[in-house]
Each structure stands twice: as structure tokens, then as C-alpha cells.
Amino acid sequence: MGFAIATGSSRGTGGKIVFSGFGLVFAMFGCLFVASAWDGMLETKAMQQWADTPCTIVSSEMQDAGEDYKLVLSYSYIFDGQTYTAERYGKEKHYTAESVGEIDRMKKTLPPGKQTRCHVNPEKPAEAVLKLPAVKGAVAAIGFTLIFPAFGMLFASLPWLGGRKKKNDYTVHSGAKKEKKRSAKWFLIPFGAVFVLVGLIALKPLFITPLQKTHNAKTWDSVPATVVSSKVKSHSDDDGTTYSVYIAYRYEIDGEEFLGDRYTFMGGSSRGRDSKAGIVRRYPTGRKFNVYVNPVNPFESVIQREFTPMMWLGLIPLIFVIAGIAGIAVMIGGFRAKTKLDTRQAQEQIVTLKGTSPAAKASGLLIFTLIWNGVVVLIFKSEAPILFHIVFGFFGLIMIAASIHAILALFNPRPIVEITPGNIRPGTSVAMRWRTNGNIDRIEKLTISLQCLKITAETTRRGGKSHTTTIKTPQHDEELLQTDSQPEIAQGTLQFQIPEEVPPSRPKGFRGEIRWQLVFHGDIKRWPDLKEELPFTVYPSA
């Protein structure tokens, strides 16, 4: 059989240029972010030299800033014998927070007439701040923005790293193809690490913190409160409009009045105005009800302290964590791919063959199905478009069916197989015996096959994108036994020979894996069939 060797082609060069151009543009914008963060750090560092000066709070007023609340302050101070008035709080002009309770706390901390300290720019005495920004935060901002140009340069160079031809780098177009080495795959590790880091960072405020507060609030005090105002807040952006519940209330602790507006510990907004409006209607202005107040910090309060179904949405960042870990695992697995056959089997006279655990498959599938369908339930409760309901619900049903199938398969009979000798080579005669555990009466027919598969990964390009497909090519497929006899299904022995013309086992690597295995297939009526693949090693001829 003839074959051709591909030594290189200009095909795909345009795609590489476009890919690199995208990376360079990404890196350029990243450099702009770094430059902005650098200027901010220099400004923050210069502010540390401003003069520490006594000042007096003149006014302190809470204002609604739309998405947040802000505390508008003014304070006076004397510098070089001259009196000045300033309004700047810190890095930003005003102190802002999502909770009206937090602004109320700061307002009580900085009431009019209070004597405190501010920091004055000695070169421009009219410029001052109450709180100096931290240098650590500015340095952290630079470190974060450096990620963008770094990944931009990585993506710009990635296509060319994978396209260099080496002396032994070739692809054979025949029944036995050699897979081209891809030196650029190492980028999956830092890329996956960023996915894991982003997912974990987002997971804390979106799920872990609300869950902790829900648990801690079980010991909070129930205190009478009065609704000050209530409404459905709308939040508009390029993706549309979302809504959130806003209920402001007043309560007293030891004769002191406090303000709060937290409905649940799950913040943010979502689609579906009607559900939020229904909640707001239950809390009209002037209504008396009870809130839960933190006895350690009376500024912290909440109306609903129970765990709500919406909190499950906080697990969405786990998708990034799982995707990142999977990418890292794939890369590490590639680095640790076996280049030599395991010789332990050859040292054994009798070898017990082991297949993959069906419990691991069923557990992983069940966990993913529960997470997916938890999100589906939340989508059904929202006012999302009907197309979302259909698509997510359809895949949810498919995964439920797959999980049920995998769980039912756990109760199938399983064969225990022993072969001898362990030192198997082409031409070796192998003796096998098996014993089937479980309810074998359910198996109507048992088929035992000897298989040799060549497993390769073939990469093709379609539409400028690379697609990798795992191909299993049979090198040998021999039916050793087919029986409906219950005694033979329960246990038996047989002899088979490894053909001399078929290649021996080969680990994953440059030319693809060669896998030898025994396959047990049992037909079970109205139940998932028994299918057990039991790999073993055939060593090269001495």
C-alpha cells in the first residue's frame, strides 16, 4: 500500500495571521489597562505623602445613586493658616455601597461636627481626602491587568509555535497515520489556571458568602421593623433589563434607629419583573413586620434569612472551575502519557483483568445532571424566553435518561476474568476463565470477543478551526464465544491465540495507541445490556 508524506503547506496561514492579529489587538488593549493601572498606582503612592491634618465634618448626607447609595460629605480644615472645605472621601469622590444600612452606618460614624483627620496635598492645599487609598490595592490592580497583554501575546504566538516543522515531524496519509506533535498544547495549563482562579474568586461572593450568612443568621435576633419604601428596581444594559427587589425599612436597637434594605443574602438582579413585583406588594410603605438583626453588628439585617432556590445560581462559576481543571488534567495527562509498556503483567503467571468502574461514570453523570437541572428549574421559574425553556429542558431530559441508564447498569452482573500466562506475545496461546457475579438469569445471551484497536487522534481544519476526533480502527476482531447456556454464562474456560500478523500493544504516543482487550457483551431484556471491556497487554516478540 502506498503512502504520501505531508511536508508542509501554506494552507491555514491566513487563519494564523487573523488569530495572531486578534491576539495583538487584545494585548494592545491590555497594555492600555496596565498603563491606566500604573498611573493609578503612582497617584496612590504620591498621596501617601500628603499631610495628616485635623478636620471637622460639616455635612453628611445619604443619596440614592441608582444602582448604589452614596454618602455625600463635606469637611473643613486649616492648612498654613488658611481654612479650606473639601468633599472627597478617598480614591473616589464619594463613599458608595449597595446597602442603605452600610451608608447609614458611615453616616453615624461621620456625623456633622465630628473631629477627625484628613490628608492634604501640600502642593494644592485645596485638595484633600478623608481616607488614603491603599498601595497594595493599586499594585494588585497592576498584577490583574498584566493578565490581558500576557494572554494577548500568548494567543498571537500560539499558531506559529504549533506550525514549526522539525526533522521528524511528519504525517503519513495511509491506513496507519502518524499524528503530528503539537508543541503549543502547553498553553492549556496557564489558560486552565486562569479559569479555575476566576471561577473560585467569583464563587465566594456569589455562593459561599451568602451560604455562610444564611447559616450565621439562624442565631440573629428578630426585631420589629417598619417599611420606609418599597419598589422594583430596574437595571438596564446592552443585554437588556433585569429587576431586583428593593425594600427599605427602619428598626430600633436599644433606642437607636437603624436603616436596612436587604431582602435576602443573594444580591444582584435577574429577569422577570412580575415575581419581584409580587414580593414588593407584600411590603407596602408603613407595614409593620419583623427583620433579623446581627446582635454583634446591629447595622446588618435581613428580611429573609432562609436559603432560597435563587442561591443555586451562585454555583454557575463552578463551570469555569471544572473547565479549567479539565484543561489542566488533559495537559498533565499528555505530559505523563506512557511511552513504555507496563511490564508488571509479564511478571505474573495468572492475571486478573479489570475494566473501568461503572460507579465512577454514574456518579459523575449524576452530579452534572443535578447541577444542570437545578439551573433548568430556575430558568422555568423565571420569565426567560420560551426557547431557553425548550433547549435547556430538552438537554436536561436527555441527561436524566442517561443518568438513569448508568445507574441501572450498576446492578448488572459483572464478569471476573483471569488469563494465563501474563507474558503474552504475538503467537502466544492464552487460557482464560471467567466467573459472572450477580443475577445471571437476566442475561439471555453472552458474547465474548477478542479485539485489537488502533486509537488515534485525527485533527482536521474546517472553516479555519481545528477539530480533533478520536478514531478507533479495528486491527483484529474475533468472536471467541456466543452462548445462551446459563451454566456457560455463569462460568467457563476457553483458549485463544494472539495472531502473529497483528501488532502488539502500544501506549499512547506519536503513532497512536494499540489496545488489546476482551469484550463481554450480555443481552438483557428491558434493561441496559452488560458491556465490559477488559484491556490487557501484548508485548512485542522477543
Side-chain angles (χ1 to χ4, degrees):
M1 181 182 295
F3 61 87
I5 300 180
T7 57
S9 171
S10 60
R11 187 175 61 131
T13 302
K16 291 181 180 181
I17 293 174
V18 172
F19 197 87
S20 295
F22 173 79
L24 290 174
V25 171
F26 194 85
M28 181 183 69
F29 279 102
C31 289
L32 294 178
F33 294 150
V34 173
S36 177
W38 180 263
D39 290 339
M41 189 202 69
L42 293 179
E43 180 186 359
T44 299
K45 199 170 182 180
M47 291 174 69
Q48 309 304 310
Q49 308 303 319
W50 288 11
D52 187 6
T53 307
C55 67
T56 303
I57 303 297
V58 176
S59 65
S60 178
E61 180 184 355
M62 182 188 339
Q63 292 184 2
D64 189 342
E67 295 285 335
D68 301 316
Y69 297 90
K70 64 181 179 181
L71 184 63
V72 179
L73 293 166
S74 66
Y75 49 93
S76 62
Y77 54 93
I78 298 175
F79 191 81
D80 287 342
Q82 187 173 349
T83 301
Y84 297 90
T85 299
E87 296 182 349
R88 186 176 176 184
Y89 174 77
K91 183 72 174 177
E92 304 297 331
K93 183 176 181 179
H94 302 297
Y95 179 82
T96 61
E98 293 182 357
S99 170
V100 68
E102 174 61 19
I103 299 297
D104 184 51
R105 182 187 70 81
M106 285 298 295
K107 183 179 178 181
K108 291 177 179 177
T109 304
L110 299 170
K114 180 174 181 178
Q115 304 293 319
T116 184
R117 313 288 296 186
C118 64
H119 304 272
V120 180
N121 185 351
E123 298 179 359
K124 298 178 181 179
E127 187 178 7
V129 295
L130 274 180
K131 182 178 177 61
L132 287 174
V135 176
K136 288 183 178 179
V139 173
I142 292 177
F144 178 76
T145 55
L146 280 172
I147 294 175
F148 297 97
F151 269 90
M153 295 305 297
L154 175 63
F155 286 129
S157 58
L158 195 59
W160 311 102
L161 290 176
R164 294 177 181 174
K165 293 284 182 180
K166 296 183 180 180
K167 187 174 182 180
N168 295 324
D169 214 12
Y170 56 89
T171 304
V172 178
H173 300 288
S174 67
K177 290 187 177 180
K178 293 188 176 181
E179 184 183 357
K180 187 178 72 172
K181 291 181 179 178
R182 297 183 175 273
S183 60
K185 283 186 177 180
W186 59 268
F187 90 99
L188 282 173
I189 290 182
F191 192 70
V194 170
F195 262 64
V196 173
L197 182 62
V198 170
L200 292 177
I201 291 174
L203 192 65
K204 188 178 188 306
L206 293 180
F207 184 76
I208 296 176
T209 298
L211 190 65
Q212 288 175 336
K213 287 185 175 292
T214 298
H215 176 74
N216 296 336
K218 292 179 180 179
T219 60
W220 288 10
D221 300 329
S222 179
V223 177
T226 304
V227 176
V228 176
S229 67
S230 62
K231 61 182 178 180
V232 177
K233 276 192 170 184
S234 60
H235 314 269
S236 299
D237 55 24
D238 295 338
D239 296 326
T241 303
T242 57
Y243 305 93
S244 62
V245 172
Y246 175 76
I247 302 171
Y249 48 86
R250 181 186 294 111
Y251 58 96
E252 287 188 4
I253 302 291
D254 296 332
E256 185 178 356
E257 187 178 274
F258 295 87
L259 289 175
D261 62 355
R262 177 176 287 168
Y263 180 68
T264 68
F265 290 115
M266 186 69 178
S269 60
S270 60
R271 299 187 185 276
R273 189 184 189 281
D274 290 348
S275 58
K276 281 81 174 178
I279 295 172
V280 169
R281 281 194 294 269
R282 299 202 302 266
Y283 293 89
T285 301
R287 179 193 165 181
K288 307 287 187 181
F289 69 105
N290 277 27
V291 296
Y292 299 98
V293 181
N294 186 348
V296 178
N297 178 15
F299 291 97
E300 191 174 14
S301 61
V302 69
I303 296 176
Q304 294 289 341
R305 63 179 177 180
E306 292 81 12
F307 186 91
T308 63
M310 286 295 293
M311 289 185 179
W312 288 114
L313 287 176
L315 289 175
I316 289 178
L318 276 179
I319 297 174
F320 292 89
V321 177
I322 294 171
I325 292 176
I328 294 173
V330 167
M331 195 63 253
I332 293 177
F335 284 148
R336 295 182 177 179
K338 294 180 180 180
T339 57
K340 294 182 179 180
L341 294 175
D342 191 342
T343 59
R344 287 177 295 181
Q345 177 188 306
Q347 299 169 6
E348 301 289 338
Q349 182 60 30
I350 300 177
V351 179
T352 302
L353 302 184
K354 296 179 181 179
T356 56
S357 171
K361 175 185 175 182
S363 300
L365 188 57
L366 181 61
I367 291 172
F368 187 79
T369 300
L370 291 174
I371 294 175
W372 180 276
N373 283 282
V375 176
V376 170
V377 170
L378 295 175
I379 291 175
F380 281 5
K381 288 185 176 182
S382 70
E383 296 183 8
I386 189 65
L387 182 61
F388 277 70
H389 292 206
I390 295 173
V391 173
F392 279 82
F394 176 72
F395 282 103
L397 290 174
I398 289 178
M399 284 186 284
I400 289 174
S403 297
I404 293 174
H405 188 278
I407 292 172
L408 293 177
L410 292 175
F411 300 95
N412 277 345
R414 296 193 67 188
I416 299 175
V417 182
E418 293 179 340
I419 59 174
T420 185
N423 188 9
I424 303 173
R425 301 179 185 274
T428 299
S429 181
V430 181
M432 176 183 75
R433 64 182 179 186
W434 70 91
R435 183 178 75 255
T436 307
N437 287 341
N439 187 6
I440 62 171
D441 294 338
R442 296 159 52 203
I443 302 177
E444 297 181 341
K445 182 174 65 175
L446 177 66
T447 303
I448 303 176
S449 302
L450 173 66
Q451 289 184 351
C452 176
L453 302 175
K454 181 176 182 180
I455 304 173
T456 56
E458 186 175 88
T459 302
T460 58
R461 294 185 62 86
R462 296 193 299 269
K465 295 182 179 181
S466 296
H467 301 269
T468 301
T469 306
T470 300
I471 301 175
K472 295 183 178 181
T473 306
Q475 306 293 298
H476 181 77
D477 194 346
E478 177 185 354
E479 185 178 289
L480 302 178
L481 175 71
Q482 185 177 107
T483 181
D484 56 6
S485 169
Q486 289 297 315
E488 275 192 306
I489 293 175
Q491 61 182 356
T493 61
L494 58 79
Q495 199 94 3
F496 63 90
Q497 188 169 14
I498 303 297
E500 294 187 0
E501 69 276 7
V502 182
S505 299
R506 187 165 63 208
K508 296 178 183 179
F510 186 70
R511 295 177 296 168
E513 177 187 3
I514 299 293
R515 179 189 299 172
W516 281 88
Q517 61 185 17
L518 289 167
V519 179
F520 278 66
H521 187 280
D523 294 334
I524 303 177
K525 192 174 182 179
R526 293 191 294 273
W527 196 266
D529 287 345
L530 162 68
K531 185 173 183 181
E532 195 84 16
E533 296 179 346
L534 305 169
F536 62 94
T537 303
V538 175
Y539 298 95
S541 299

